[in-house]
């Protein structure tokens, strides 16, 4: 019996315990294709690759492989024990298969056009030398980070917690670029897209929009360096947009076009994709889907264990330092609590010093399990604006997760 | 070969160090100062999950860093590895390969959990309605039938009762 099939049966049996296992099995056997394909027994469903493997892509360390074309690569959790995520280990997520694999800096230009006085066409050299350089440490997190933990499951990239990372970004303020072009009165938003192109003309080009005031807030940046080095191609070489405190869908890679407009933005990747319920915590339920949705925007407050990892064995009677990272949208993480009894009682974790406004903040707490057995740990962050995490969160897209994360470990004598 | 340093601890480095890094890596040149640059090349790529090893990028890397050229003319190139799984034969396989794999890897299916038919029908229909896949309704049904053999779930498994018609979760 292959592993997936075994897992499927185990899960099916477990889920159906109240119904009687035989009824559940019967539903499996009723699958209309099984007979026709000749798969008469439990062990012989078609063999396909396991959901996740490991892979090395150009300029990248070995990462968790979700998809290869276009590439979606996840950072293994252990990298988050460092304050900064190495560029080589930083997660990768492209939307369409026509991503740039070669960039000629002689011809590459960032074009700033639309509702401006003087359209600009800036070379990499000009970007790096003509405008004041600014530097910030900021978390980038995919909108669907941790989607595989949703219950019920949501279709989409099946990330664990590794579709995020914390890096130092250096570049030019988008405001300075817009000022150089001279935004005309009446501008309300800027559209941004990069060099990537879809494989069919019917697929909308990946393009996002920011309100003009957001684009000009002095924090949104066109970055030409990541951790003080050129960006890896798969992370957006030569330049990418940095939108601190906002989900990664806005951090357009291989940024090539900034289009200022005095008209409301219309486009698939804002109007249809990447929508979340307007309700608090982007909540909805499968039986009561939200009628009102909005484009995903600022990070939810959340915290994730980096140590222990799931199913880890921990020695009884010895201090074990639990640690993790907490994220918010820039107000600042002010508290992280940890529970060792499945979110019944809580203790304050120690917070590491603040790294930067939009960086994650690390937390730690020594824990000495007194008796052997299973424990469910939980972590809950709160930020300076009073926002915190919730015991259960769900939406159909699997977006903006801020459910209190739990990890099951075993204490052993 | 471009080598990468370990990340340094967080600090607010200014323009000088980053410009120095860009200069060192040859991505910018100072005004009036033309200098030769290193070959930019990514590491050899290989896919660990591939049973027979992946073709590495190796020597087919291209660079414009040829004789007489400078950083201003630098071209950076990577070569993407090819590592697409083979999916088993079965009813609908040909349609699946023709209509789906033309745009994306079949791993878009194999990374998913087991979903009931209505979820897969919705996902496949999204490819037609939102992305303009050239697929007739009959072909859609064939594709759904095939995907059900790979990542289908019986309706008695409540953990997979996701809601079809998600808000364009890409």
């Amino acid at each position: 019996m292959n592993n997936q099939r075994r897992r499927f049966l185990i899960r099916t049996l477990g889920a159906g315990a109240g119904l009687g296992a035989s009824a559940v099995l019967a539903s499996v056997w009723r699958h209309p294709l099984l007979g026709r394909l000749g798969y008469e027994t439990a062990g012989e469903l078609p063999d396909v690759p396991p959901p996740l493997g490991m892979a090395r892509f150009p300029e990248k360390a070995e990462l968790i492989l979700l998809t290869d074309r276009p590439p979606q690569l996840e950072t293994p959790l252990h990298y988050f024990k460092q304050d900064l995520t190495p560029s080589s280990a930083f997660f990768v997520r492209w939307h369409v298969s026509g991503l740039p694999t070669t960039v000629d800096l002689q011809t590459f230009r960032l074009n700033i056009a639309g509702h401006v006085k003087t359209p600009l066409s800036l070379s990499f050299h000009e970007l790096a030398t003509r405008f004041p350089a600014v530097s910030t440490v900021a978390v980038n997190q995919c909108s669907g980070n941790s989607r595989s933990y949703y219950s019920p499951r949501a279709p989409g990239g099946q990330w664990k917690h590794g579709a995020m990372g914390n890096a130092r970004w250096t570049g030019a303020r988008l405001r300075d670029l817009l000022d150089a072009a001279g935004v005309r009165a009446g501008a309300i938003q800027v559209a941004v897209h990069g060099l990537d192109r879809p494989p069919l003309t019917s697929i909308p080009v990946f393009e996002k929009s920011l309100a003009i005031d957001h684009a000009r807030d002095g924090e949104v940046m066109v970055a030409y360096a990541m951790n003080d080095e050129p960006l890896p191609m798969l992370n957006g070489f030569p330049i990418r947009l940095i939108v601190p405190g906002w989900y990664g869908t806005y951090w357009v890679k291989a940024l090539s076009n900034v289009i200022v407009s005095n008209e409301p933005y219309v486009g698939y990747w804002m109007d249809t994709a990447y929508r979340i319920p307007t309700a608090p915590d982007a909540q909805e339920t499968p039986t009561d889907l939200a009628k009102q949705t909005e484009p995903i925007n600022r990070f939810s407050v959340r915290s994730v264990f980096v140590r222990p990892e799931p199913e880890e064995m921990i020695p009884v009677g010895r201090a074990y330092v639990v640690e993790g990272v907490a994220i918010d949208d820039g107000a600042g993480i002010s508290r992280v609590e940890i529970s060792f009894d499945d979110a019944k009682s809580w203790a304050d974790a120690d917070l590491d010093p603040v790294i930067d406004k939009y960086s994650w903040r690390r937390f730690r707490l020594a824990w000495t399990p007194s008796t052997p057995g299973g424990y469910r740990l939980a972590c809950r962050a709160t930020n300076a604006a009073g926002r915190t995490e919730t015991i259960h969160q769900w939406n159909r897209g699997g977006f903006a997760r801020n459910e209190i994360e739990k990890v099951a470990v075993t204490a052993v004598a | 070969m471009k080598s990468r340093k370990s990340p340094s601890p967080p600090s607010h480095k200014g323009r000088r160090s980053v410009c120095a890094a860009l200069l060192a890596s040859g991505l910018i040149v100072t005004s009036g100062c033309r200098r030769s640059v290193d070959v930019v090349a990514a590491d050899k790529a290989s896919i660990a999950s591939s049973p027979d090893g992946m073709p590495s990028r190796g020597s087919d890397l291209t660079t414009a860093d040829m004789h007489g050229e400078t950083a201003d003319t630098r071209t950076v190139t990577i070569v993407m590895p090819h590592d697409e799984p083979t999916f088993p034969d079965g009813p609908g396989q040909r349609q699946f390969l023709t209509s789906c794999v033309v745009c994306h890897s079949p791993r878009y299916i194999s990374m998913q959990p087991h979903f009931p038919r209505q979820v897969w029908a919705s996902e496949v229909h999204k490819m037609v309605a939102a992305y303009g896949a050239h697929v007739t309704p009959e072909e859609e049904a064939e594709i759904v039938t095939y995907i059900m053999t790979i990542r289908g779930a019986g309706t008695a498994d409540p953990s997979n009762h996701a809601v079809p018609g998600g808000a364009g979760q890409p």
Side-chain angles (χ1 to χ4, degrees):
Chain A
M1 187 185 287
N2 72 52
N3 284 338
Q4 283 165 33
R5 181 61 182 159
R6 183 181 296 119
R7 278 201 302 273
F8 176 46
L9 280 179
I10 289 169
R11 195 177 56 229
T12 304
L13 290 167
L19 304 171
S22 60
V24 177
L25 271 178
S27 77
V28 173
W29 305 139
R30 277 202 301 274
H31 193 299
L33 273 175
L34 292 179
R36 239 183 301 159
L37 289 171
Y39 299 114
E40 300 292 349
T41 62
E44 293 174 313
L45 272 186
D47 200 17
V48 297
L52 302 173
M54 301 296 288
R56 284 207 67 194
F57 272 63
E59 303 177 293
K60 304 299 291 182
E62 187 170 273
L63 300 176
I64 301 165
L65 173 66
L66 272 67
T67 62
D68 51 286
R69 178 175 56 93
Q72 299 186 85
L73 309 171
E74 172 167 353
T75 307
L77 204 57
H78 66 83
Y79 281 102
F80 301 156
K81 291 175 183 174
Q82 305 169 59
D83 285 345
L84 294 187
T85 312
S87 302
S88 62
F90 214 89
F91 80 97
V92 170
R93 192 272 188 264
W94 291 86
H95 295 81
V96 291
S97 55
L99 56 128
T101 55
T102 183
V103 175
D104 176 356
L105 290 186
Q106 188 174 36
T107 56
F108 174 83
R109 294 292 183 274
L110 172 61
N111 298 296
I112 300 176
H115 200 63
V116 297
K117 297 187 183 81
T118 313
L120 297 179
S121 187
L122 300 166
S123 69
F124 184 87
H125 181 89
E126 289 173 300
L127 275 169
T129 55
R130 264 184 57 185
F131 301 90
V134 291
S135 201
T136 188
V137 175
V139 168
N140 182 12
Q141 179 181 216
C142 178
S143 306
N145 193 26
S146 313
R147 182 181 283 122
S148 66
Y149 296 116
Y150 276 90
S151 178
R153 298 288 292 268
Q158 295 300 315
W159 306 100
K160 295 187 279 187
H161 296 317
M164 63 174 179
N166 198 37
R168 181 188 301 108
W169 311 96
T170 303
R173 294 183 193 92
L174 181 57
R175 181 178 65 197
D176 293 341
L177 307 183
L178 291 171
D179 286 354
V183 174
R184 290 164 56 192
I188 58 174
Q189 53 95 7
V190 299
V192 283
H193 68 255
L195 298 175
D196 48 329
R197 289 294 177 274
L200 299 177
T201 54
S202 54
I203 300 174
V205 168
F206 184 71
E207 185 176 70
K208 303 295 287 191
S209 168
L210 296 175
I212 188 72
D213 289 347
H214 187 190
R216 297 190 73 259
D217 70 357
E219 294 186 324
V220 176
M221 179 199 302
V222 174
Y224 42 75
M226 176 180 185
N227 295 327
D228 301 327
E229 294 184 309
L231 282 71
M233 184 76 72
L234 292 177
N235 294 105
F237 181 86
I239 54 173
R240 82 179 295 176
L241 198 66
I242 304 304
V243 188
W246 284 52
Y247 281 99
T249 181
Y250 295 96
W251 299 42
V252 169
K253 295 180 289 299
L255 179 70
S256 60
N257 292 81
V258 175
I259 304 132
V260 181
S261 177
N262 59 350
E263 293 176 0
Y265 183 78
V266 178
Y268 173 79
W269 299 100
M270 295 292 293
D271 300 339
T272 304
Y274 286 110
R275 304 282 298 190
I276 58 171
T278 53
D281 298 325
Q283 292 269 26
E284 62 185 345
T285 67
T287 52
D288 187 16
L289 294 175
K291 309 280 188 297
Q292 297 292 321
T293 65
E294 62 184 350
I296 195 168
N297 47 79
R298 295 172 165 277
F299 288 152
S300 301
V301 174
R302 70 177 311 208
S303 56
V304 171
F305 286 114
V306 174
R307 184 175 188 263
E309 297 205 23
E311 314 300 330
E312 199 170 311
M313 304 267 230
I314 293 175
V316 165
R318 294 221 305 264
Y320 177 97
V321 178
V322 170
E323 61 178 285
V325 295
I327 293 165
D328 82 331
D329 64 356
I333 295 293
S334 54
R335 184 182 195 189
V336 177
E337 300 156 282
I338 296 178
S339 171
F340 300 102
D341 57 5
D342 202 9
K344 293 186 187 69
S345 64
W346 297 88
D348 279 303
D350 299 319
L351 298 178
D352 277 13
V354 172
I355 296 171
D356 208 343
K357 181 178 178 184
Y358 294 103
S359 165
W360 61 33
R361 192 164 185 189
R362 314 188 64 80
F363 62 88
R364 308 165 197 277
L365 188 61
W367 173 50
T368 307
S370 54
T371 54
Y375 290 83
R376 277 169 75 81
L377 279 54
C379 56
R380 178 173 68 191
T382 304
N383 78 349
R387 298 174 70 93
T388 186
E389 300 183 71
T390 185
I391 198 72
H392 180 67
Q393 187 241 1
W394 188 88
N395 56 60
R396 72 196 96 165
F399 287 137
R401 182 172 171 91
N402 77 333
E403 179 168 317
I404 293 169
E405 301 297 345
K406 297 183 178 180
V407 60
V409 299
T410 305
V412 293
Chain B
M1 274 272 183
K2 182 160 71 173
S3 63
R4 295 210 172 274
K5 295 173 294 192
S6 302
S8 44
S11 70
H12 298 273
K13 295 205 174 179
R15 176 191 194 111
R16 188 188 305 166
S17 66
V18 170
C19 275
L22 294 176
L23 276 167
S25 61
L27 291 177
I28 62 171
V29 292
T30 53
S31 176
C33 171
R34 304 188 78 78
R35 56 197 288 276
S36 63
V37 295
D38 302 329
V39 174
V40 163
D43 302 330
K44 285 186 177 181
S46 63
I47 299 239
S49 61
S50 174
D52 51 0
M54 287 301 304
S56 74
R57 241 177 4 159
S59 60
D60 58 354
L61 285 168
T62 63
T63 174
D65 186 36
M66 312 277 287
H67 173 74
E69 294 189 329
T70 75
D72 286 312
T73 63
R74 159 168 264 161
T75 297
V76 178
T77 298
I78 61 169
V79 176
M80 294 292 286
H82 179 85
D83 181 31
E84 305 219 344
T86 301
F87 272 28
D89 195 9
Q93 186 212 32
R94 180 178 300 248
Q95 197 61 50
F96 171 76
L97 293 176
T98 303
S99 302
C100 308
V101 178
V102 64
C103 285
H104 61 77
S105 167
R107 288 185 196 276
Y108 272 75
I109 306 305
S110 56
M111 78 161 158
Q112 302 295 333
H114 293 259
F115 284 122
R117 180 175 292 270
Q118 58 171 355
V119 172
W120 281 122
S122 169
E123 290 299 303
V124 172
H125 188 69
K126 182 169 76 181
M127 300 302 141
V128 179
Y131 300 124
H134 301 285
V135 176
T136 67
E138 294 73 25
E139 292 166 341
E140 253 185 84
E142 275 191 69
I143 293 165
V144 172
T145 293
Y146 182 71
I147 293 176
M148 286 298 292
T149 68
I150 305 295
R151 283 291 180 269
T155 54
D157 184 350
S159 71
N160 286 320
H161 281 195
V163 177
Q169 58 281 22

